[in-house]
Amino acid sequence: MYQVSDIVQIVTTQRFMLPSASLTISELVYDSRKVYHGDSALFFALKAARDGHRFIRAAYDRGIRSFVVSDLDLDYKQYPDANFLWVDDVLEALQTLASYHRKQFHYPIIGITGSNGKTIVKEWLYQMLCQDKKVYQSPKSYNSQLGVSLSLWELSDQYDIALIEAGISQEGEMAKLAEMVKPDIGVLTSLGVAHADGFSSKLVKLNEKLMLFQDSKTVIFPSKYVPEDLRSQSIQQLSWGNSASDKWQLVSTEINGSWTEVLLMEDSVEQRLILPFIDQASIENCLTCSSVMRFLGYDWSVIAERLKQLEAVEMRLQLKSGINNTSVIDDSYSNDLGALRIALDFLERQQQHVKKTLILSEVMGLPNDEKYFDKLRTLLSVFNLTRLIWVGNATTIFDGLDFETISFSSVDDLERHWATLSFADETILVKGGRAFHFESIVKRLTAKSHGTVLEINLNAIEHNLHAYRSLLPADVKLMAMVKAFSYGSGSFEVANMLQYNAVDYLTVAFVDEGVELRQGGISLPIMVLSPDESTFDRLVTHRLEPEIYSFRIFEAFNAYLKQQELQKYPIHIKLDTGMHRLGFLEDELPELLARLKEETTVKVVSLFSHLVASGKQSEDAFTQSQIGQYQRCVEHLEHELGYKVIKHLCNTSGIVRWPSAYFDMVRLGIGLYGIDLHHSNLDIWATSMLKTTITQIKTLKEGETVGYDRRGVLKKDGQIATVKIGYADGYDRRFGNGVGTMLIRGQYVPTIGNICMDMCMLDVSDMKVAEGDEVIVFPDIQQSARAIGVIPYELLVNISSRVKRVYYYQ
Ligand SMILES: *Cc1c(COP(=O)(O)O)cnc(C)c1O
């Protein structure tokens, strides 16, 4: 623990102001939304996608009294009792502090880096070590410049060993991480092509990664990734692989069904290891972990035993719908305080239910002592839990917490008493140490799926939001289009994340969609594109704001408002500048204006129009004329109305291509969902993946036929796989007979025969596949859309509601 006055000594400040110098700092925060113990937190106003200085007020309101800032002209007088430290570079100050803190500890610190596998190797090492050591691991994938700093800050004298993951995306970043982490032992997992963009060549990339180990005593790595001449002479090099200089020589690997047998030679003695995986990446990661364990002095027999117990790591939280109108957050694979906190944060953000239950197990590899339980209690006390269901010993530790606590000694015990618990209308976070096998609990809680799921990556949507937002000047608002269930991606789950990220407006197509969002706890203003007379009641009850596009709808709504005696109800006026769909034409505006001036029932919140071809270069002249017409109309209207309205015109393509037309707000749609129609320079991530499974595999002879009307004919002896997706799920019939391509075990396979209602068949001749294998339905959605002559929007929104949505969050 440091006092603010100590911290002034550690980081280099330009100046400081310490009216509360004796405050003790235990937490470092950079996000004003994630503040739980205000007065013991130090806020870093980072200049990231959004400038942290803008959130000082919010952080102060949440109790923070200590700030590290860089803006010299900041108006600190507003905060008379707050400490301010002015530095040149806020991130650098955070790193300096983290690095100082790290130097207080002398137990081994293992630094892990690589293109792929670093988080898995970290998790597996944790699993293998925690059986007899107190292990700290950096939470989830906190591996960036910021993440590593925060990870190091959590080091304490409770541990025997620490695992810190370091990741870089650009040249020059590793030196800083190395300076902070100063790993005693370095581990390089792999070197691949992932994230290659920021690097000029593979060699540069490798050199950069190796920089993490510049002060290490020992480095452990698979030899195939590191050419001999790059290896530093001053560091002990321990590698495994096929070359003569390897400490551990790979003799053979043999895959048997679901496991792999590996023979490894150490000092001429052969060791036999059974790995519970068959894919190449997992085999490599297991061998890297074994090498580290060996270096740490473990016997081969212990290593072999612990390897067998490893399980695949699911690093992401999953949000699913559960029984009795519950939402279930499944995060059963990693359980330490860091990961628990991330999961609780996510739980806290769920607005769909007031009730919140945490099902939590004891943690392995951490001292289950008073100090640990103290931390746990403190952590739990700041979240708004309704109920804690605890699995493990030490039942009295939760005395004094102000929510219901129920304890069970084991998962078995919990399952035996399942009927005594009720779960309904609540959000349930399931978070258990791996040894507890909480999978069975998650199964009991979640509604059944029929084998086809749409996986939605909430991080990717969040990432895309930030990417488009980065194009906008700070004073341009953002409206997120969540119509058609967020282009097929779901309703309140996506909206919740958007609300958390403070978008300004949401837009739905119909009143019912808006009602669902309100019932899911969404409080942002919501515009409804196609309100209908019959739904005015619901619209008003749920504070939804209609688009008014014609005199008919205006008069109807006006009459309704009068009858209800409502005044100044917010509405949005749609102008038709060329779409010729809905909206007022320019020559109708004088009459519209007259009507608006007459009535006090409504207040115009925004005036908007829609570009018809903002993405199409050949129509740029038309777009330009639309922009001109829009501008002329809104300026006139706003002036005549006599008050400010929000003006907005651009959709996704407009955001990318027409900065001159941002006005006060933009409407982001398809881009949010990962479809970059313009191949812009933005780094846009795919957000959803439709997955199904193989139900049956059949071997057929040349000439036999597959499916209805005998349309699929085998041209030679072969094999087909039946998968659980058909046109009722949204897999269009036009994908039949080889037009559609899916992905199984990394290989593309064509459909064969007609698509059926609930199933279809794939030609998997000459491939090694198994029943139960996962199948990716649209490996490339733009390409799939082209194959049947539609646009990606259509494929997305047609994915049937019976396809279960599972949300992932990292
Ligand atoms: C759907 C829609 C958008 C969003 O369009 P994208 O091309 O998906 O970004 C914007 N404005 C209106 C009026 C819409 O209906």
Side-chain angles (χ1 to χ4, degrees):
M1 296 260 201
Y2 301 82
Q3 288 197 333
V4 179
S5 49
D6 302 330
I7 291 175
V8 174
Q9 308 296 319
I10 299 167
V11 303
T12 316
T13 53
Q14 295 233 3
R15 61 179 162 113
F16 54 85
M17 190 130 340
L18 304 180
S20 310
S22 63
L23 281 183
T24 305
I25 298 301
S26 60
E27 236 181 297
L28 307 184
V29 297
Y30 63 97
D31 184 334
S32 60
R33 297 164 303 185
K34 295 183 188 160
V35 176
Y36 300 105
H37 307 282
D39 60 359
S40 57
L42 177 58
F43 183 88
F44 287 82
L46 297 173
K47 299 246 186 210
R50 299 220 275 165
D51 183 355
H53 291 82
R54 288 170 52 201
F55 301 96
I56 288 178
R57 166 54 62 187
Y60 183 89
D61 289 344
R62 297 195 68 159
I64 295 203
R65 291 296 175 269
S66 306
F67 297 86
V68 179
V69 298
S70 57
D71 282 359
L72 288 167
D73 48 4
L74 182 101
D75 179 17
Y76 59 88
K77 294 208 182 76
Q78 293 181 50
Y79 316 101
D81 58 341
N83 299 312
F84 280 94
L85 280 64
W86 280 269
V87 297
D88 283 339
D89 181 321
V90 173
L91 178 60
E92 224 169 85
L94 172 60
Q95 295 180 330
T96 307
L97 183 56
S99 139
Y100 177 89
H101 183 67
R102 182 258 174 267
K103 290 193 187 114
Q104 311 310 308
F105 304 100
H106 303 290
Y107 46 76
I109 297 212
I110 303 186
I112 306 171
T113 195
S115 311
N116 291 306
K118 45 190 181 299
T119 308
I120 293 181
V121 165
K122 182 189 66 180
E123 278 280 335
W124 281 349
L125 275 176
Y126 177 84
Q127 288 175 31
M128 291 174 82
L129 286 166
C130 75
Q131 306 193 12
D132 58 86
K133 281 192 165 47
K134 296 166 188 166
V135 191
Y136 173 74
Q137 64 164 333
S138 48
K140 297 260 165 146
S141 43
Y142 269 38
N143 63 20
S144 63
Q145 299 288 321
L146 176 60
V148 168
S149 320
L150 298 173
S151 301
L152 291 172
W153 177 257
E154 295 296 326
L155 291 174
S156 75
D157 55 13
Q158 300 177 61
Y159 302 105
D160 302 326
I161 189 164
L163 308 169
I164 305 287
E165 181 185 331
I168 47 171
S169 48
Q170 284 170 35
E171 283 176 51
E173 289 184 336
M174 194 57 101
K176 282 190 191 148
L177 295 182
E179 184 51 38
M180 278 196 281
V181 182
K182 285 205 181 301
D184 305 284
I185 304 162
V187 177
L188 177 77
T189 55
S190 73
L191 191 73
V193 287
H195 319 297
D197 300 349
F199 297 91
S200 42
S201 78
K202 200 165 165 171
L203 210 61
V204 170
K205 202 164 123 182
L206 177 61
N207 260 318
E208 173 90 21
K209 295 207 191 284
L210 293 177
M211 210 178 279
L212 178 64
F213 313 132
Q214 59 194 11
D215 295 326
S216 303
K217 292 181 211 66
T218 308
V219 183
I220 297 165
F221 55 95
S223 59
K224 67 174 179 184
Y225 296 119
V226 189
E228 303 263 354
D229 55 338
L230 273 189
R231 302 183 190 174
S232 151
Q233 296 311 309
S234 56
I235 302 175
Q236 182 187 21
Q237 312 276 330
L238 295 176
S239 57
W240 65 265
N242 300 100
S243 80
S245 60
D246 288 327
K247 164 89 174 150
W248 299 284
Q249 308 262 334
L250 191 56
V251 180
S252 67
T253 50
E254 193 186 320
I255 297 175
N256 296 302
S258 62
W259 48 277
T260 305
E261 181 179 327
V262 175
L263 290 180
L264 213 56
M265 185 93 84
E266 181 194 68
D267 302 333
S268 316
V269 183
E270 214 167 72
Q271 304 294 340
R272 180 172 167 272
L273 302 172
I274 301 294
L275 314 179
F277 304 98
I278 54 171
D279 62 292
Q280 189 56 33
S282 298
I283 295 171
E284 281 185 21
N285 291 333
C286 281
L287 291 174
T288 301
C289 289
S290 308
S291 307
V292 176
M293 293 295 283
R294 190 67 191 134
F295 171 72
L296 292 173
Y298 286 88
D299 277 347
W300 279 112
S301 60
V302 175
I303 297 173
E305 195 45 45
R306 293 187 187 174
L307 278 173
K308 270 193 223 155
Q309 298 166 19
L310 291 180
E311 280 175 43
V313 182
E314 174 56 82
M315 281 163 298
R316 306 168 298 179
L317 299 175
Q318 297 176 45
L319 171 63
K320 313 174 187 183
S321 55
I323 53 170
N324 306 331
N325 187 33
T326 56
S327 301
V328 178
I329 303 170
D330 175 6
D331 187 19
S332 26
Y333 289 92
S334 157
N335 196 20
D336 50 56
L337 287 176
L340 176 61
R341 191 194 169 122
I342 295 171
L344 284 167
D345 254 330
F346 187 70
L347 174 68
E348 186 92 340
R349 276 186 240 165
Q350 300 305 310
Q351 304 292 332
Q352 59 270 36
H353 305 292
V354 177
K355 265 166 63 185
K356 286 175 182 164
T357 292
L358 167 64
I359 307 183
L360 179 69
S361 82
E362 235 172 57
V363 188
M364 308 245 319
L366 272 180
N368 274 311
D369 59 11
E370 248 334 283
K371 208 161 162 189
Y372 167 73
F373 283 124
D374 251 356
K375 277 193 170 175
L376 179 59
R377 262 193 307 264
T378 317
L379 180 62
L380 295 179
S381 67
V382 294
F383 289 91
N384 292 311
L385 293 175
T386 319
R387 174 166 64 159
L388 168 68
I389 298 176
W390 170 256
V391 179
N393 292 318
T395 54
T396 58
I397 56 167
F398 300 111
D399 290 353
L401 286 176
D402 62 356
F403 43 78
E404 184 188 357
T405 312
I406 311 169
S407 301
F408 299 94
S409 59
S410 64
V411 177
D412 263 359
D413 186 26
L414 167 59
E415 293 204 77
R416 264 199 307 281
H417 294 89
W418 192 255
T420 66
L421 298 166
S422 77
F423 296 97
D425 307 312
E426 63 193 302
T427 308
I428 306 162
L429 168 61
V430 184
K431 187 102 188 73
R434 305 165 39 73
F436 287 83
H437 292 285
F438 271 18
E439 300 88 272
S440 58
I441 307 289
V442 172
K443 258 194 205 129
R444 280 174 183 270
L445 288 170
T446 48
K448 283 205 177 49
S449 110
H450 75 297
T452 299
V453 293
L454 182 63
E455 290 189 0
I456 293 140
N457 180 344
L458 291 175
N459 290 94
I461 300 181
E462 193 170 40
H463 168 91
N464 296 341
L465 172 67
H466 294 322
Y468 285 102
R469 202 179 237 166
S470 73
L471 298 177
L472 306 174
D475 58 348
V476 172
K477 292 181 162 49
L478 193 141
M479 176 180 251
M481 308 305 283
V482 294
K483 61 190 183 193
F485 297 100
S486 298
Y487 293 50
S489 298
S491 87
F492 61 80
E493 298 89 348
V494 173
N496 219 344
M497 190 277 298
L498 296 168
Q499 176 163 303
Y500 180 72
N501 283 286
V503 305
D504 299 282
Y505 251 96
L506 295 176
T507 299
V508 295
F510 298 103
V511 167
D512 281 349
E513 297 174 2
V515 171
E516 192 168 325
L517 294 184
R518 285 281 181 256
Q519 286 168 346
I522 304 300
S523 55
L524 281 177
I526 300 177
M527 176 170 97
V528 180
L529 293 172
S530 301
D532 185 275
E533 237 175 291
S534 64
T535 56
F536 286 161
D537 259 329
R538 286 152 58 68
L539 180 121
V540 167
T541 313
H542 292 95
R543 295 173 291 111
L544 306 172
E545 304 173 6
E547 165 187 322
I548 298 296
Y549 51 83
S550 70
F551 287 112
R552 179 188 57 77
I553 194 84
F554 176 76
E555 295 308 343
F557 193 53
N558 186 35
Y560 174 82
L561 293 173
K562 280 200 168 136
Q563 179 209 31
Q564 300 292 314
E565 298 179 4
L566 289 167
Q567 289 285 313
K568 297 205 165 149
Y569 196 89
I571 60 167
H572 302 263
I573 300 285
K574 173 74 156 290
L575 307 176
D576 183 351
T577 55
M579 183 70 138
H580 301 328
R581 187 170 66 179
L582 299 179
F584 293 95
L585 291 163
E586 190 166 3
D587 60 14
E588 295 174 311
L589 297 187
E591 189 186 341
L592 174 66
L593 203 55
R595 291 294 294 118
L596 288 172
K597 281 181 167 172
E598 258 167 67
E599 302 295 350
T600 53
T601 47
V602 295
K603 170 150 204 285
V604 180
V605 182
S606 87
L607 290 170
F608 74 109
S609 186
H610 198 25
L611 296 173
V612 304
S614 55
K616 204 164 177 168
Q617 207 169 357
S618 57
E619 296 293 348
D620 281 357
F622 187 81
T623 302
Q624 197 73 65
S625 78
Q626 267 196 292
I627 298 171
Q629 190 192 7
Y630 173 73
Q631 179 146 18
R632 194 165 65 234
C633 293
V634 291
E635 273 171 8
H636 174 66
L637 282 170
E638 193 174 43
H639 180 257
E640 288 293 318
L641 282 172
Y643 53 83
K644 275 260 160 236
V645 296
I646 304 173
K647 300 176 280 298
H648 48 114
L649 183 61
C650 284
N651 62 342
T652 303
S653 304
I655 296 172
V656 176
R657 300 194 61 238
W658 296 96
S660 62
Y662 287 168
F663 295 94
D664 305 318
M665 183 159 80
V666 294
R667 300 187 303 272
L668 178 60
I670 192 96
L672 198 50
Y673 307 102
I675 295 177
D676 180 12
L677 295 168
H678 305 293
H679 308 284
S680 61
N681 289 325
L682 288 179
D683 173 28
I684 298 302
W685 296 357
T687 60
S688 61
M689 195 179 278
L690 182 59
K691 285 183 173 174
T692 186
T693 44
I694 298 182
T695 330
Q696 194 174 25
I697 292 177
K698 285 204 175 73
T699 304
L700 299 178
K701 290 255 175 299
E702 178 183 338
E704 287 193 272
T705 64
V706 179
Y708 285 120
D709 297 338
R710 309 194 62 208
R711 286 288 307 281
V713 185
L714 267 88
K715 299 216 173 66
K716 56 183 175 76
D717 292 359
Q719 201 179 206
I720 62 144
T722 303
V723 294
K724 290 187 187 177
I725 187 165
Y727 57 81
D729 300 296
Y731 195 62
D732 198 291
R733 276 191 83 245
R734 285 172 284 179
F735 283 121
N737 302 299
V739 175
T741 309
M742 300 193 192
L743 191 70
I744 308 178
R745 296 195 186 191
Q747 299 181 66
Y748 293 95
V749 293
T751 58
I752 179 166
N754 285 331
I755 307 296
C756 311
M757 187 184 289
D758 312 306
M759 282 174 263
C760 67
M761 280 65 86
L762 302 172
D763 186 345
V764 292
S765 301
D766 308 321
M767 275 183 58
K768 208 172 159 183
V769 293
E771 290 178 359
D773 272 2
E774 180 179 277
V775 182
I776 294 167
V777 180
F778 298 127
D780 173 346
I781 194 146
Q782 299 213 38
Q783 147 72 31
S784 297
R786 264 196 308 275
I788 60 165
V790 300
I791 54 174
Y793 295 63
E794 220 179 308
L795 291 187
L796 287 177
V797 301
N798 280 339
I799 298 171
S800 149
S801 60
R802 83 176 187 190
V803 172
K804 196 170 158 181
R805 268 73 173 162
V806 178
Y807 300 86
Y808 286 89
Y809 196 78
Q810 225 158 39

